[in-house]
Amino acid sequence: MAEIGKGVTAGKLAINVQKRLTRAQEKVLQKLGKADETRDVVFEEMVANFNKQMGEGTKLQKDLKAYLAAVKTMHDASRRLQDCLADMYEPDWFGKEEMDALAEDTDTMWLDYHQSITDKSLQNMDMYLSQFPDIKARIAKRDRKLVDFDSARHHFTSLQKGKKKDEAKIAKAEEDLGRAQKIFEELNVELQDELPALWDRRVGVYVNTFQSLAGHREKFHKEMSKLSENLNDIMTKLEEQRQIKKGATAASKTEDCAKSEGANHSESASSAPKRSAPPPGPPPSRPPPRMTPSPNQQQQNVSPFEDEPSVHDTNTDSTTTTLQVRLTAKCLCSGYPV
């Protein structure tokens, strides 16, 4: 309750208290069925749409804030990941400078994306929802003025139907009724114009919000895709560099192994013991003298056919030679001259 002396006089405070009591009594009478209540079905439908619209807008605003919080979380995670990669990336690796620039560009992209959604989508929803509290307060005021109007109407009617009519009281009641009706109708007319317009405006607000969000998201992912492609290229070239170094290292090791094996072979050849010449053996025996065939043997070897040349077979020559050797050996053993 407001304190007296701060813009609220004692008389004003008493009037407000009296209004509250009168409204409370009127509502009780309406619920009990002892007083009729002014109903406006069309306006009640407008109010239902307003409450639905405000609830949907509030939920959308909440979800946008949650989405922005998730974007910020992803930004922090991406920054830590990029910092980790930058710390591990050695200076002599391929694309060190490009990697550092890529980390900065990625951080900038996340910042721009978060700021764009905040400026275009979230602020748009904030401005859209900022008008709801005022309209809601005016709807509540309209409801109170409707109760005042019904109360004044019932009071005026009761005075008119009374047995003892007091014209002064009737005139004052009629004046109060006219004033309450005027206040109520002014608010009612304003809200009947604003609520349908506000209800129709929600479509444009949703279109602008999600169209802006989709546009910024498309731009962000397109630019982020380029950065990801650049990162992939750097990683691919780094792997190619590693494979080249790996092949060169393997070739160098193979060459060193070949040289080492060659040196070991030379050392083993030079250090191998030389073979000694075999000891001298007994002098070779003198071959037996060749035996001269006797005239009888020559006559035996002459073919009976003198006019035809003799054809010696290889087996025959071999046999003859063997016989000569045996005969010579026998003569020598017997002491006969050869």
Side-chain angles (χ1 to χ4, degrees):
M1 184 178 295
E3 297 181 2
I4 299 176
K6 292 186 178 181
V8 180
T9 62
K12 184 68 174 177
L13 182 61
I15 292 174
N16 290 334
V17 172
Q18 183 63 37
K19 285 182 179 180
R20 291 178 182 177
L21 291 175
T22 304
R23 290 167 186 163
Q25 293 175 359
E26 184 65 23
K27 288 182 179 180
V28 171
L29 292 174
Q30 290 176 355
K31 290 181 179 179
L32 295 176
K34 295 182 179 181
D36 58 338
E37 181 182 2
T38 302
R39 300 292 300 272
D40 189 345
V41 179
V42 176
F43 186 82
E44 290 177 358
E45 184 178 355
M46 293 179 185
V47 173
N49 291 336
F50 170 82
N51 292 329
K52 178 182 178 182
Q53 184 178 0
M54 183 174 62
E56 291 176 348
T58 303
K59 185 178 184 303
L60 178 57
Q61 182 188 45
K62 181 180 178 181
D63 291 340
L64 273 176
K65 290 181 179 180
Y67 181 80
L68 281 172
V71 170
K72 188 176 185 303
T73 302
M74 283 295 299
H75 178 200
D76 295 338
S78 175
R79 178 184 297 170
R80 289 193 297 269
L81 187 62
Q82 292 292 337
D83 292 342
C84 180
L85 179 60
D87 293 339
M88 293 187 302
Y89 215 85
E90 298 183 4
D92 59 336
W93 287 0
F94 176 85
K96 172 61 177 175
E97 296 180 358
E98 289 81 356
M99 182 62 66
D100 295 339
L102 187 66
E104 294 179 1
D105 294 341
T106 302
D107 186 66
T108 303
M109 284 298 303
W110 279 107
L111 287 173
D112 293 344
Y113 182 51
H114 186 277
Q115 191 63 37
S116 298
I117 297 177
T118 302
D119 295 341
K120 302 298 181 181
S121 298
L122 184 60
Q123 288 186 4
N124 186 31
M125 284 302 304
D126 291 343
M127 293 178 61
Y128 168 69
L129 291 175
S130 63
Q131 56 189 334
F132 281 84
D134 178 67
I135 297 177
K136 184 178 180 181
R138 290 164 63 194
I139 291 175
K141 184 178 180 180
R142 183 255 184 199
D143 292 339
R144 294 193 302 270
K145 297 304 178 183
L146 178 59
V147 176
D148 292 341
F149 172 65
D150 287 339
S151 178
R153 180 166 53 83
H154 295 154
H155 180 63
F156 176 71
T157 302
S158 64
L159 290 177
Q160 283 184 333
K161 293 181 180 180
K163 294 180 180 180
K164 294 181 180 181
K165 296 183 179 180
D166 189 344
E167 296 298 333
K169 290 183 178 181
I170 293 174
K172 188 176 183 305
E174 183 178 6
E175 182 182 355
D176 293 340
L177 175 60
R179 184 168 54 252
Q181 182 178 2
K182 181 181 179 181
I183 294 174
F184 166 73
E185 289 181 352
E186 287 179 354
L187 288 172
N188 189 57
V189 170
E190 290 177 359
L191 291 173
Q192 285 181 348
D193 292 338
E194 293 180 11
L195 290 178
L198 180 63
W199 175 252
D200 293 337
R201 199 179 304 146
R202 77 191 192 283
V203 179
V205 172
Y206 298 158
V207 169
N208 293 334
T209 300
F210 283 97
Q211 193 173 37
S212 175
L213 179 62
H216 291 301
R217 183 186 297 173
E218 180 183 6
K219 179 181 178 182
F220 169 76
H221 288 294
K222 185 182 294 184
E223 296 296 330
M224 192 61 69
S225 177
K226 294 180 181 178
L227 295 179
S228 299
E229 184 177 357
N230 294 338
L231 177 60
N232 185 43
D233 292 340
I234 293 175
M235 294 294 101
T236 301
K237 292 179 181 178
L238 178 62
E239 175 64 16
E240 292 176 356
Q241 184 187 57
R242 187 183 73 87
Q243 293 294 339
I244 292 174
K245 288 183 178 180
K246 184 178 179 181
T249 303
S252 177
K253 288 183 178 179
T254 304
E255 184 178 355
D256 293 341
C257 290
K259 291 181 179 179
S260 177
E261 290 180 358
N264 293 335
H265 181 71
S266 299
E267 291 177 0
S268 61
S270 59
S271 60
K274 295 183 180 180
R275 294 181 179 179
S276 59
S285 60
R286 184 176 180 181
R290 186 174 181 179
M291 182 180 63
T292 303
S294 61
N296 294 330
Q297 290 176 347
Q298 289 179 358
Q299 290 179 359
Q300 292 178 0
N301 291 334
V302 175
S303 176
F305 305 97
E306 295 178 357
D307 294 338
E308 295 180 1
S310 62
V311 179
H312 298 281
D313 190 15
T314 306
N315 294 331
T316 305
D317 293 341
S318 176
T319 304
T320 304
T321 305
T322 304
L323 292 174
Q324 292 176 354
V325 170
R326 288 179 179 178
L327 183 60
T328 303
K330 188 176 182 180
C331 291
L332 288 173
C333 293
S334 302
Y336 296 101
V338 181

